[in-house]
Protein backbone atom coordinates (compact mmCIF):
# COMPACT_ATOMS: atom_id res chain seq x y z
CA UNK A 1 0.00 0.00 0.00
CA UNK A 2 1.65 3.23 -1.14
CA UNK A 3 1.47 6.37 0.98
CA UNK A 4 2.34 10.03 0.37
CA UNK A 5 5.86 11.09 1.41
CA UNK A 6 6.31 12.62 4.85
CA UNK A 7 6.73 16.42 4.96
CA UNK A 8 9.81 18.14 6.36
CA UNK A 9 9.34 17.99 10.15
CA UNK A 10 11.35 21.17 10.75
CA UNK A 11 8.89 23.23 8.73
CA UNK A 12 5.74 21.99 10.48
CA UNK A 13 3.90 23.98 13.15
CA UNK A 14 2.60 22.49 16.42
CA UNK A 15 -0.83 21.90 14.86
CA UNK A 16 0.82 20.36 11.83
CA UNK A 17 2.80 17.97 13.99
CA UNK A 18 -0.40 16.95 15.81
CA UNK A 19 -2.16 16.24 12.51
CA UNK A 20 0.90 14.25 11.34
CA UNK A 21 0.91 12.16 14.52
CA UNK A 22 -2.81 11.47 14.13
CA UNK A 23 -2.30 10.46 10.50
CA UNK A 24 0.59 8.16 11.40
CA UNK A 25 -1.46 6.51 14.13
CA UNK A 26 -4.27 5.83 11.68
CA UNK A 27 -1.74 4.38 9.21
CA UNK A 28 -0.17 2.16 11.89
CA UNK A 29 -3.59 0.92 12.98
CA UNK A 30 -4.50 0.08 9.38
CA UNK A 31 -1.25 -1.85 8.89
CA UNK A 32 -1.77 -3.76 12.15
CA UNK A 33 -5.29 -4.68 11.07
CA UNK A 34 -4.04 -5.82 7.65
CA UNK A 35 -1.34 -7.96 9.27
CA UNK A 36 -3.86 -9.48 11.64
CA UNK A 37 -6.15 -10.40 8.75
CA UNK A 38 -3.23 -11.98 6.87
CA UNK A 39 -2.24 -14.03 9.91
CA UNK A 40 -5.83 -15.18 10.42
CA UNK A 41 -6.10 -16.16 6.75
CA UNK A 42 -2.81 -18.05 6.96
CA UNK A 43 -4.00 -19.88 10.07
CA UNK A 44 -7.29 -20.76 8.31
CA UNK A 45 -5.50 -22.18 5.28
CA UNK A 46 -3.18 -24.27 7.48
CA UNK A 47 -6.08 -25.34 9.71
CA UNK A 48 -4.36 -23.93 12.81
CA UNK A 49 -6.24 -23.17 16.05
CA UNK A 50 -7.74 -19.71 16.29
CA UNK A 51 -5.74 -17.00 17.99
CA UNK A 52 -7.16 -16.16 21.47
CA UNK A 53 -8.60 -12.68 21.86
CA UNK A 54 -6.61 -11.05 24.67
CA UNK A 55 -7.08 -7.38 25.51
CA UNK A 56 -3.64 -5.75 25.90
CA UNK A 57 -3.17 -3.48 28.91
CA UNK A 58 -2.42 0.17 28.45
CA UNK A 59 0.90 -0.05 30.24
CA UNK A 60 2.04 -2.86 27.93
CA UNK A 61 1.25 -0.78 24.86
CA UNK A 62 3.00 2.23 26.34
CA UNK A 63 6.24 0.56 27.34
CA UNK A 64 6.73 -1.73 24.34
CA UNK A 65 8.21 -5.24 24.22
CA UNK A 66 11.85 -4.13 24.40
CA UNK A 67 11.36 -2.14 27.57
CA UNK A 68 9.23 -4.88 29.10
CA UNK A 69 11.99 -7.43 28.45
CA UNK A 70 14.64 -5.17 30.00
CA UNK A 71 12.55 -4.57 33.11
CA UNK A 72 11.77 -8.29 33.40
CA UNK A 73 15.49 -9.11 33.25
CA UNK A 74 16.27 -6.53 35.92
CA UNK A 75 13.42 -7.77 38.10
CA UNK A 76 14.64 -11.36 37.87
CA UNK A 77 18.15 -10.32 38.84
CA UNK A 78 16.81 -8.63 41.98
CA UNK A 79 14.40 -11.42 42.86
CA UNK A 80 14.96 -13.06 46.23
CA UNK A 81 15.19 -16.88 46.30
CA UNK A 82 11.90 -18.56 46.93
CA UNK A 83 11.33 -20.54 50.11
CA UNK A 84 10.90 -23.72 48.10
CA UNK A 85 14.38 -23.33 46.53
CA UNK A 86 16.22 -23.12 49.84
CA UNK A 87 18.08 -26.14 51.20
CA UNK A 88 15.76 -27.80 53.72
CA UNK A 89 16.82 -27.98 57.36
CA UNK A 90 18.00 -31.52 58.16
CA UNK A 91 16.15 -32.78 61.27
CA UNK A 92 17.34 -36.39 61.18
CA UNK A 93 20.24 -38.22 59.56
CA UNK A 94 20.44 -41.94 58.87
CA UNK A 95 23.49 -43.80 57.54
CA UNK A 96 22.95 -46.63 55.08
CA UNK A 97 25.62 -49.25 54.45
CA UNK A 98 26.20 -51.69 51.65
CA UNK A 99 28.32 -54.88 51.46
CA UNK A 100 31.31 -54.25 49.20
CA UNK A 101 33.58 -56.95 47.68
CA UNK A 102 37.13 -57.31 49.00
CA UNK A 103 39.60 -54.75 47.66
CA UNK A 104 36.95 -51.99 47.31
CA UNK A 105 37.85 -48.41 48.24
CA UNK A 106 35.48 -46.25 50.31
CA UNK A 107 34.45 -43.01 48.57
CA UNK A 108 32.43 -41.38 51.35
CA UNK A 109 28.65 -40.99 51.21
CA UNK A 110 26.15 -39.88 48.61
CA UNK A 111 23.39 -37.71 50.17
CA UNK A 112 19.74 -38.32 49.36
CA UNK A 113 17.20 -36.01 51.02
CA UNK A 114 13.60 -36.99 51.72
CA UNK A 115 11.15 -34.35 52.94
CA UNK A 116 8.10 -35.45 54.88
CA UNK A 117 5.38 -33.91 57.00
CA UNK A 118 3.89 -35.45 60.14
CA UNK A 119 0.46 -34.24 61.23
CA UNK A 120 -0.66 -36.06 64.33
CA UNK A 121 -2.18 -34.94 67.62
CA UNK A 122 -0.01 -34.74 70.71
CA UNK A 123 -2.11 -35.12 73.86
CA UNK A 124 -0.47 -34.43 77.22
CA UNK A 125 -2.21 -35.28 80.47
CA UNK A 126 -0.86 -33.47 83.50
CA UNK A 127 -1.34 -35.25 86.81
CA UNK A 128 -1.53 -32.32 89.21
CA UNK A 129 -0.73 -33.25 92.78
CA UNK A 130 -3.36 -32.22 95.31
CA UNK A 131 -3.00 -31.65 99.03
CA UNK A 132 -5.41 -30.81 101.80
CA UNK A 133 -3.84 -28.56 104.41
CA UNK A 134 -4.59 -28.86 108.14
CA UNK A 135 -6.64 -25.66 108.01
CA UNK A 136 -8.95 -27.10 105.34
CA UNK A 137 -7.46 -25.47 102.22
CA UNK A 138 -6.67 -27.41 99.05
CA UNK A 139 -3.34 -27.05 97.22
CA UNK A 140 -3.00 -28.13 93.56
CA UNK A 141 0.27 -28.20 91.64
CA UNK A 142 0.33 -25.31 89.13
CA UNK A 143 0.45 -25.86 85.38
CA UNK A 144 3.65 -25.05 83.45
CA UNK A 145 3.86 -21.39 82.32
CA UNK A 146 3.61 -22.35 78.62
CA UNK A 147 0.16 -23.91 79.12
CA UNK A 148 -2.49 -21.30 78.34
CA UNK A 149 -5.49 -23.57 77.83
CA UNK A 150 -6.62 -26.97 76.68
CA UNK A 151 -5.13 -26.41 73.20
CA UNK A 152 -1.40 -25.95 72.79
CA UNK A 153 0.47 -23.41 70.63
CA UNK A 154 0.91 -25.92 67.81
CA UNK A 155 -2.84 -26.14 67.25
CA UNK A 156 -3.20 -22.35 67.55
CA UNK A 157 -0.41 -21.90 65.00
CA UNK A 158 -2.00 -24.34 62.55
CA UNK A 159 -5.45 -22.73 62.88
CA UNK A 160 -4.10 -19.20 62.35
CA UNK A 161 -1.98 -20.26 59.39
CA UNK A 162 -4.80 -22.09 57.64
CA UNK A 163 -7.46 -19.48 58.32
CA UNK A 164 -5.40 -16.36 57.56
CA UNK A 165 -3.04 -17.44 54.79
CA UNK A 166 -4.87 -20.48 53.46
CA UNK A 167 -8.31 -18.79 53.49
CA UNK A 168 -9.79 -21.91 55.11
CA UNK A 169 -13.17 -21.42 56.79
CA UNK A 170 -13.82 -22.46 60.39
CA UNK A 171 -16.14 -25.23 59.19
CA UNK A 172 -13.39 -26.80 57.06
CA UNK A 173 -10.86 -26.31 59.84
CA UNK A 174 -13.18 -28.23 62.12
CA UNK A 175 -13.32 -31.13 59.63
CA UNK A 176 -9.52 -31.11 59.20
CA UNK A 177 -8.72 -31.11 62.91
CA UNK A 178 -11.25 -33.82 63.74
CA UNK A 179 -9.86 -35.96 60.91
CA UNK A 180 -6.42 -35.59 62.51
CA UNK A 181 -7.79 -36.80 65.84
CA UNK A 182 -8.16 -33.47 67.65
CA UNK A 183 -11.32 -33.21 69.74
CA UNK A 184 -12.45 -29.62 69.25
CA UNK A 185 -15.66 -27.68 68.59
CA UNK A 186 -16.28 -24.84 66.15
CA UNK A 187 -16.76 -22.35 68.98
CA UNK A 188 -13.35 -23.27 70.35
CA UNK A 189 -11.75 -22.65 66.93
CA UNK A 190 -13.38 -19.21 66.79
CA UNK A 191 -12.11 -18.47 70.30
CA UNK A 192 -8.55 -19.46 69.34
CA UNK A 193 -8.74 -17.13 66.33
CA UNK A 194 -10.04 -14.10 68.22
CA UNK A 195 -9.47 -14.36 71.98
CA UNK A 196 -6.33 -13.29 73.88
CA UNK A 197 -4.59 -11.81 70.83
CA UNK A 198 -3.52 -8.56 72.53
CA UNK A 199 0.16 -9.10 71.73
CA UNK A 200 -0.61 -9.48 68.01
CA UNK A 201 -2.86 -6.39 68.06
CA UNK A 202 -0.11 -4.35 69.74
CA UNK A 203 2.47 -5.42 67.17
CA UNK A 204 0.09 -4.58 64.34
CA UNK A 205 -0.42 -1.04 65.66
CA UNK A 206 3.33 -0.64 66.15
CA UNK A 207 3.82 -1.70 62.52
CA UNK A 208 1.72 1.27 61.36
CA UNK A 209 3.55 3.72 63.59
CA UNK A 210 6.97 2.49 62.44
CA UNK A 211 5.85 2.60 58.81
CA UNK A 212 4.40 6.11 58.93
CA UNK A 213 7.42 7.44 60.82
CA UNK A 214 9.93 6.19 58.23
CA UNK A 215 8.05 5.99 54.90
CA UNK A 216 8.89 8.30 52.00
CA UNK A 217 5.51 7.37 50.49
CA UNK A 218 2.47 5.24 51.22
CA UNK A 219 -0.32 4.03 48.94
CA UNK A 220 -3.88 3.86 50.24
CA UNK A 221 -7.09 2.19 49.13
CA UNK A 222 -10.33 0.91 50.62
CA UNK A 223 -13.00 -1.70 49.95
CA UNK A 224 -16.38 -2.64 51.34
CA UNK A 225 -16.70 -5.06 54.26
CA UNK A 226 -19.72 -6.57 55.98
CA UNK A 227 -19.77 -6.56 59.76
CA UNK A 228 -22.67 -7.56 62.00
CA UNK A 229 -25.08 -7.25 59.06
CA UNK A 230 -23.97 -3.70 58.18
CA UNK A 231 -21.87 -2.23 55.38
CA UNK A 232 -18.49 -0.98 56.60
CA UNK A 233 -15.20 -0.04 54.92
CA UNK A 234 -11.73 -1.56 55.24
CA UNK A 235 -8.88 0.90 54.62
CA UNK A 236 -5.40 -0.20 53.56
CA UNK A 237 -2.22 1.81 54.21
CA UNK A 238 1.21 0.55 53.18
CA UNK A 239 4.40 0.75 51.18
CA UNK A 240 6.97 -1.83 50.06
CA UNK A 241 7.81 -2.71 53.71
CA UNK A 242 4.48 -2.97 55.50
CA UNK A 243 0.72 -3.33 55.02
CA UNK A 244 -1.95 -2.29 57.51
CA UNK A 245 -5.74 -2.79 57.51
CA UNK A 246 -8.52 -1.30 59.61
CA UNK A 247 -12.29 -1.71 59.27
CA UNK A 248 -14.56 1.15 60.34
CA UNK A 249 -18.19 2.12 59.89
CA UNK A 250 -17.17 5.35 58.13
CA UNK A 251 -14.91 6.12 55.16
CA UNK A 252 -14.76 9.87 55.74
CA UNK A 253 -11.67 12.07 55.88
CA UNK A 254 -12.07 12.26 59.65
CA UNK A 255 -11.86 8.48 59.82
CA UNK A 256 -8.76 8.39 57.59
CA UNK A 257 -6.97 11.03 59.66
CA UNK A 258 -7.91 9.13 62.80
CA UNK A 259 -6.28 5.99 61.35
CA UNK A 260 -3.12 7.95 60.54
CA UNK A 261 -2.69 8.75 64.24
CA UNK A 262 -1.66 5.07 64.71
CA UNK A 263 -3.80 4.53 67.79
CA UNK A 264 -3.11 7.83 69.53
CA UNK A 265 -6.34 9.31 71.00
CA UNK A 266 -5.31 12.97 71.53
CA UNK A 267 -6.13 16.15 69.60
CA UNK A 268 -3.41 18.81 69.21
CA UNK A 269 -3.55 22.44 68.08
CA UNK A 270 -0.18 23.47 66.66
CA UNK A 271 1.35 25.03 63.56
CA UNK A 272 0.40 22.03 61.41
CA UNK A 273 -3.24 22.33 62.53
CA UNK A 274 -3.31 26.05 61.77
CA UNK A 275 -1.77 25.49 58.32
CA UNK A 276 -4.38 22.83 57.54
CA UNK A 277 -7.21 25.22 58.41
CA UNK A 278 -5.71 27.98 56.26
CA UNK A 279 -5.37 25.59 53.29
CA UNK A 280 -9.05 24.65 53.62
CA UNK A 281 -10.37 28.19 53.74
CA UNK A 282 -11.03 28.69 57.45
CA UNK A 283 -11.48 32.30 58.47
CA UNK A 284 -8.88 34.07 60.57
CA UNK A 285 -11.48 34.56 63.31
CA UNK A 286 -12.05 30.81 63.63
CA UNK A 287 -8.32 30.06 63.68
CA UNK A 288 -7.71 32.83 66.24
CA UNK A 289 -10.50 31.49 68.46
CA UNK A 290 -8.93 28.04 68.45
CA UNK A 291 -5.38 29.22 69.07
CA UNK A 292 -6.31 31.88 71.64
CA UNK A 293 -7.16 29.25 74.24
CA UNK A 294 -4.30 28.43 76.56
CA UNK A 295 -4.97 24.73 76.22
CA UNK A 296 -3.49 23.27 73.01
CA UNK A 297 -3.63 19.49 73.66
CA UNK A 298 -6.69 17.38 74.52
CA UNK A 299 -6.40 13.82 75.82
CA UNK A 300 -9.34 12.27 73.98
CA UNK A 301 -12.45 12.90 71.91
CA UNK A 302 -14.60 13.73 74.92
CA UNK A 303 -12.29 16.55 76.05
CA UNK A 304 -12.04 17.87 72.49
CA UNK A 305 -15.83 17.86 71.99
CA UNK A 306 -16.29 19.76 75.25
CA UNK A 307 -13.78 22.37 74.06
CA UNK A 308 -15.59 22.86 70.75
CA UNK A 309 -18.90 23.07 72.56
CA UNK A 310 -17.53 25.86 74.74
CA UNK A 311 -16.35 27.79 71.66
CA UNK A 312 -19.82 27.56 70.13
CA UNK A 313 -18.69 26.36 66.69
CA UNK A 314 -21.22 25.24 64.10
CA UNK A 315 -21.17 21.83 62.43
CA UNK A 316 -18.96 22.93 59.51
CA UNK A 317 -16.39 24.65 61.71
CA UNK A 318 -16.43 21.74 64.17
CA UNK A 319 -15.60 19.26 61.44
CA UNK A 320 -12.79 21.35 59.95
CA UNK A 321 -11.35 22.08 63.40
CA UNK A 322 -11.43 18.37 64.25
CA UNK A 323 -9.61 17.47 61.03
CA UNK A 324 -7.01 20.14 61.83
CA UNK A 325 -6.54 18.83 65.40
CA UNK A 326 -6.03 15.32 64.02
CA UNK A 327 -3.40 16.65 61.62
CA UNK A 328 -1.80 18.38 64.59
CA UNK A 329 -1.70 15.10 66.51
CA UNK A 330 -0.07 13.33 63.56
CA UNK A 331 2.58 16.06 63.22
CA UNK A 332 3.16 16.19 66.99
CA UNK A 333 4.04 12.50 66.93
CA UNK A 334 6.52 12.91 64.07
CA UNK A 335 4.51 10.85 61.58
CA UNK A 336 4.24 11.55 57.84
CA UNK A 337 6.64 14.49 58.05
CA UNK A 338 7.88 14.12 54.44
CA UNK A 339 5.63 11.28 53.34
CA UNK A 340 3.61 11.40 50.11
CA UNK A 341 0.17 9.78 50.18
CA UNK A 342 -0.64 8.22 46.79
CA UNK A 343 -4.32 7.50 46.21
CA UNK A 344 -6.93 6.88 43.52
CA UNK A 345 -8.39 10.42 43.92
CA UNK A 346 -10.98 9.44 46.55
CA UNK A 347 -11.78 12.60 48.51
CA UNK A 348 -11.06 11.19 51.96
CA UNK A 349 -7.42 10.52 51.06
CA UNK A 350 -6.65 14.08 49.90
CA UNK A 351 -4.69 15.19 52.97
CA UNK A 352 -1.14 16.36 53.68
CA UNK A 353 1.25 15.82 50.72
CA UNK A 354 -0.88 14.02 48.15
CA UNK A 355 -0.22 12.43 44.74
CA UNK A 356 -2.56 10.71 42.29
CA UNK A 357 -2.47 7.31 40.62
CA UNK A 358 -1.98 7.55 36.85
CA UNK A 359 -3.72 4.25 36.18
CA UNK A 360 -6.92 5.49 37.85
CA UNK A 361 -6.62 8.80 36.01
CA UNK A 362 -6.49 7.04 32.63
CA UNK A 363 -9.56 4.99 33.52
CA UNK A 364 -11.68 8.14 33.21
CA UNK A 365 -10.77 8.22 29.52
CA UNK A 366 -11.36 4.48 29.06
CA UNK A 367 -14.90 4.77 30.46
CA UNK A 368 -16.02 7.39 27.97
CA UNK A 369 -18.95 6.27 25.81
CA UNK A 370 -18.34 7.03 22.13
CA UNK A 371 -21.14 7.50 19.65
CA UNK A 372 -19.11 7.40 16.45
CA UNK A 373 -15.87 6.13 14.99
CA UNK A 374 -14.43 9.64 15.02
CA UNK A 375 -15.09 9.99 18.76
CA UNK A 376 -13.55 6.58 19.38
CA UNK A 377 -10.47 7.63 17.38
CA UNK A 378 -10.12 10.82 19.43
CA UNK A 379 -10.37 8.91 22.72
CA UNK A 380 -7.86 6.27 21.56
CA UNK A 381 -5.44 8.99 20.52
CA UNK A 382 -5.76 10.77 23.87
CA UNK A 383 -5.22 7.52 25.76
CA UNK A 384 -2.16 6.70 23.67
CA UNK A 385 -0.66 10.13 24.38
CA UNK A 386 -1.28 9.60 28.09
CA UNK A 387 0.41 6.19 28.09
CA UNK A 388 3.41 7.54 26.17
CA UNK A 389 3.77 10.26 28.80
CA UNK A 390 3.37 7.64 31.53
CA UNK A 391 6.15 5.52 30.00
CA UNK A 392 8.51 8.49 29.91
CA UNK A 393 7.67 9.34 33.53
CA UNK A 394 8.75 5.80 34.46
CA UNK A 395 12.04 6.35 32.63
CA UNK A 396 12.45 9.71 34.38
CA UNK A 397 12.18 8.00 37.79
CA UNK A 398 15.33 6.00 36.96
CA UNK A 399 17.31 9.07 35.84
CA UNK A 400 15.77 12.37 36.99
CA UNK A 401 17.36 15.53 35.59
CA UNK A 402 16.20 19.18 35.60
CA UNK A 403 16.03 19.28 31.80
CA UNK A 404 13.82 16.17 31.58
CA UNK A 405 11.66 17.52 34.41
CA UNK A 406 10.98 20.76 32.54
CA UNK A 407 10.32 18.89 29.29
CA UNK A 408 7.82 16.54 30.94
CA UNK A 409 5.95 19.45 32.53
CA UNK A 410 5.64 21.13 29.15
CA UNK A 411 4.58 17.87 27.56
CA UNK A 412 1.87 17.36 30.21
CA UNK A 413 0.46 20.78 29.32
CA UNK A 414 0.36 19.85 25.63
CA UNK A 415 -1.20 16.41 26.18
CA UNK A 416 -3.89 17.70 28.55
CA UNK A 417 -4.38 21.00 26.76
CA UNK A 418 -5.89 19.48 23.63
CA UNK A 419 -9.40 20.53 22.56
CA UNK A 420 -11.07 18.04 20.21
CA UNK A 421 -14.67 19.20 19.99
CA UNK A 422 -15.89 15.97 21.64
CA UNK A 423 -17.49 17.56 24.72
CA UNK A 424 -17.25 14.61 27.10
CA UNK A 425 -13.61 13.97 26.19
CA UNK A 426 -12.68 17.64 26.55
CA UNK A 427 -14.38 17.83 29.97
CA UNK A 428 -12.56 14.71 31.17
CA UNK A 429 -9.20 16.03 29.95
CA UNK A 430 -9.90 19.35 31.70
CA UNK A 431 -10.60 17.56 34.99
CA UNK A 432 -7.32 15.67 34.69
CA UNK A 433 -5.50 18.91 33.82
CA UNK A 434 -6.83 20.42 37.06
CA UNK A 435 -4.96 17.68 38.97
CA UNK A 436 -1.64 18.66 37.37
CA UNK A 437 0.23 19.23 40.64
CA UNK A 438 -0.75 15.86 42.12
CA UNK A 439 -0.11 13.90 38.91
CA UNK A 440 3.31 15.51 38.40
CA UNK A 441 4.49 15.37 42.01
CA UNK A 442 6.68 12.46 40.88
CA UNK A 443 8.89 14.97 39.04
CA UNK A 444 9.91 16.47 42.39
CA UNK A 445 9.74 13.18 44.30
CA UNK A 446 10.90 10.50 41.81
CA UNK A 447 10.93 7.81 44.51
CA UNK A 448 7.13 7.70 44.77
CA UNK A 449 5.13 5.20 42.66
CA UNK A 450 3.00 6.30 39.73
CA UNK A 451 0.12 4.05 40.76
CA UNK A 452 -1.58 2.38 43.73
CA UNK A 453 -1.08 -1.18 42.46
CA UNK A 454 0.59 -2.14 45.74
CA UNK A 455 -2.52 -1.30 47.76
CA UNK A 456 -4.82 -2.99 45.27
CA UNK A 457 -2.69 -6.14 45.39
CA UNK A 458 -2.64 -6.19 49.20
CA UNK A 459 -6.35 -5.56 49.55
CA UNK A 460 -7.18 -8.38 47.14
CA UNK A 461 -6.63 -10.89 49.96
CA UNK A 462 -9.36 -9.18 51.95
CA UNK A 463 -11.72 -9.30 48.98
CA UNK A 464 -11.01 -13.02 48.54
CA UNK A 465 -11.62 -13.66 52.23
CA UNK A 466 -14.87 -11.71 52.02
CA UNK A 467 -16.05 -13.91 49.16
CA UNK A 468 -15.16 -17.10 51.03
CA UNK A 469 -16.17 -16.31 54.60
CA UNK A 470 -18.60 -13.42 54.22
CA UNK A 471 -18.55 -10.79 56.94
CA UNK A 472 -17.58 -10.75 60.59
CA UNK A 473 -20.04 -10.85 63.48
CA UNK A 474 -18.17 -9.75 66.61
CA UNK A 475 -15.85 -6.81 67.25
CA UNK A 476 -13.13 -9.26 68.29
CA UNK A 477 -13.50 -11.15 65.00
CA UNK A 478 -13.24 -7.96 62.96
CA UNK A 479 -10.17 -6.84 64.87
CA UNK A 480 -8.52 -10.26 64.51
CA UNK A 481 -9.12 -10.34 60.75
CA UNK A 482 -7.55 -6.88 60.28
CA UNK A 483 -4.63 -7.71 62.56
CA UNK A 484 -3.61 -11.02 61.06
CA UNK A 485 -4.03 -9.82 57.46
CA UNK A 486 -1.79 -6.87 58.32
CA UNK A 487 0.84 -9.13 59.88
CA UNK A 488 0.62 -11.66 57.02
CA UNK A 489 1.16 -9.05 54.30
CA UNK A 490 3.90 -7.31 56.29
CA UNK A 491 5.75 -10.62 56.75
CA UNK A 492 5.54 -11.23 52.99
CA UNK A 493 7.03 -7.80 52.22
CA UNK A 494 9.82 -8.33 54.74
CA UNK A 495 10.56 -11.84 53.33
CA UNK A 496 9.62 -13.42 56.68
CA UNK A 497 7.84 -16.78 56.75
CA UNK A 498 4.42 -16.31 58.35
CA UNK A 499 4.67 -19.86 59.73
CA UNK A 500 7.97 -18.98 61.43
CA UNK A 501 6.49 -15.70 62.67
CA UNK A 502 3.53 -17.45 64.32
CA UNK A 503 5.82 -20.05 65.87
CA UNK A 504 8.10 -17.38 67.33
CA UNK A 505 5.23 -15.31 68.77
CA UNK A 506 3.49 -18.39 70.21
CA UNK A 507 6.82 -19.41 71.80
CA UNK A 508 7.01 -22.84 70.18
CA UNK A 509 10.46 -24.21 71.22
CA UNK A 510 11.58 -25.51 67.83
CA UNK A 511 10.36 -22.42 65.91
CA UNK A 512 12.85 -20.07 64.29
CA UNK A 513 13.39 -16.69 65.92
CA UNK A 514 11.71 -13.72 64.18
CA UNK A 515 12.53 -10.12 65.21
CA UNK A 516 9.80 -7.66 66.11
CA UNK A 517 8.33 -6.52 62.80
CA UNK A 518 8.43 -2.74 63.57
CA UNK A 519 12.19 -3.07 64.14
CA UNK A 520 12.60 -4.73 60.74
CA UNK A 521 10.54 -1.96 59.12
CA UNK A 522 12.76 0.73 60.65
CA UNK A 523 15.92 -1.13 59.64
CA UNK A 524 14.76 -1.21 56.01
CA UNK A 525 13.72 2.42 55.90
CA UNK A 526 15.01 4.32 52.84
CA UNK A 527 17.98 6.58 53.39
Amino acid sequence: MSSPPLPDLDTLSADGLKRLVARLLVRVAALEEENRQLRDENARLKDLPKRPKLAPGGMDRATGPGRRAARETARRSRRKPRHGKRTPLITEERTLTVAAPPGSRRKGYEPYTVQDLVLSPRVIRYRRERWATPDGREIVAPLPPEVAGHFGPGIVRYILMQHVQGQVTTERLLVQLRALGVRIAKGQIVALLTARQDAFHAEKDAVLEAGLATARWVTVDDTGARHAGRDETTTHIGDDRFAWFATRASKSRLNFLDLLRAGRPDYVLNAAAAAYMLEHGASEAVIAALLAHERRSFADGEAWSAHLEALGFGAGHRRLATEAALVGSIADRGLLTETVIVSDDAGQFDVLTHALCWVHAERHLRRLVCGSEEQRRLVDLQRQLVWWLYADLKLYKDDPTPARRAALRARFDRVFGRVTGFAELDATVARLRANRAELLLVLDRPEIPLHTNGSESDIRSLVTKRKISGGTRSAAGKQARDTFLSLLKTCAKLAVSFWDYLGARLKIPEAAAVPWLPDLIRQRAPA
Side-chain angles (χ1 to χ4, degrees), residues 58 359 361-369 379 383 387:
V359 176
E362 190 272 343
R363 288 178 185 174
H364 295 297
L365 297 171
R366 191 195 318 168
R367 292 168 181 166
L368 287 174
V369 178
V379 171
R383 290 182 62 197
W387 285 125

Side-chain angles (χ1 to χ4, degrees), residues 172-245:
R172 292 185 177 180
L173 271 172
L174 179 64
V175 173
Q176 288 182 13
L177 291 171
R178 286 184 174 176
L180 291 171
V182 178
R183 298 179 60 185
I184 193 171
K186 180 181 175 181
Q188 292 168 320
I189 294 177
V190 173
L192 293 176
L193 287 169
T194 59
R196 296 191 296 273
Q197 307 291 9
D198 294 341
F200 289 109
H201 298 324
E203 186 165 6
K204 175 233 185 182
D205 292 337
V207 161
L208 178 63
E209 183 174 0
L212 296 183
T214 58
R216 300 299 305 276
W217 54 267
V218 294
T219 58
V220 294
D221 198 5
D222 57 27
T223 186
R226 292 286 291 176
H227 174 67
R230 300 186 304 271
D231 289 330
E232 296 196 358
T233 301
T234 299
T235 302
H236 167 272
I237 304 170
D239 65 359
D240 54 359
R241 300 166 301 142
F242 77 99
W244 190 85
F245 298 88

Side-chain angles (χ1 to χ4, degrees), residues 57 77 184 228 236 276 418 443 517:
S77 65
I184 193 171
H236 167 272
Y276 182 87
R418 301 175 67 248
L443 297 179
L517 296 184

Side-chain angles (χ1 to χ4, degrees), residues 432-506:
L432 295 176
R433 185 171 63 248
N435 294 328
R436 180 180 188 270
E438 293 167 305
L439 287 170
L440 291 183
L441 185 60
V442 67
L443 297 179
D444 299 318
R445 298 286 299 273
E447 75 277 7
I448 70 175
L450 290 167
H451 48 69
T452 59
N453 292 356
S455 285
E456 294 197 1
S457 176
D458 289 343
I459 215 166
R460 193 172 296 124
S461 295
L462 184 73
V463 176
T464 303
K465 192 169 187 63
R466 182 181 65 203
K467 292 179 178 179
I468 294 174
S469 301
T472 53
R473 296 177 181 269
S474 66
K478 178 173 71 172
Q479 185 183 20
R481 180 193 61 192
D482 293 343
T483 291
F484 286 108
L485 277 177
S486 301
L487 297 173
L488 169 67
K489 288 296 182 180
T490 300
C491 283
K493 295 188 177 189
L494 296 173
V496 173
S497 165
F498 190 58
W499 179 255
D500 291 342
Y501 168 80
L502 292 174
R505 296 301 180 267
L506 295 170

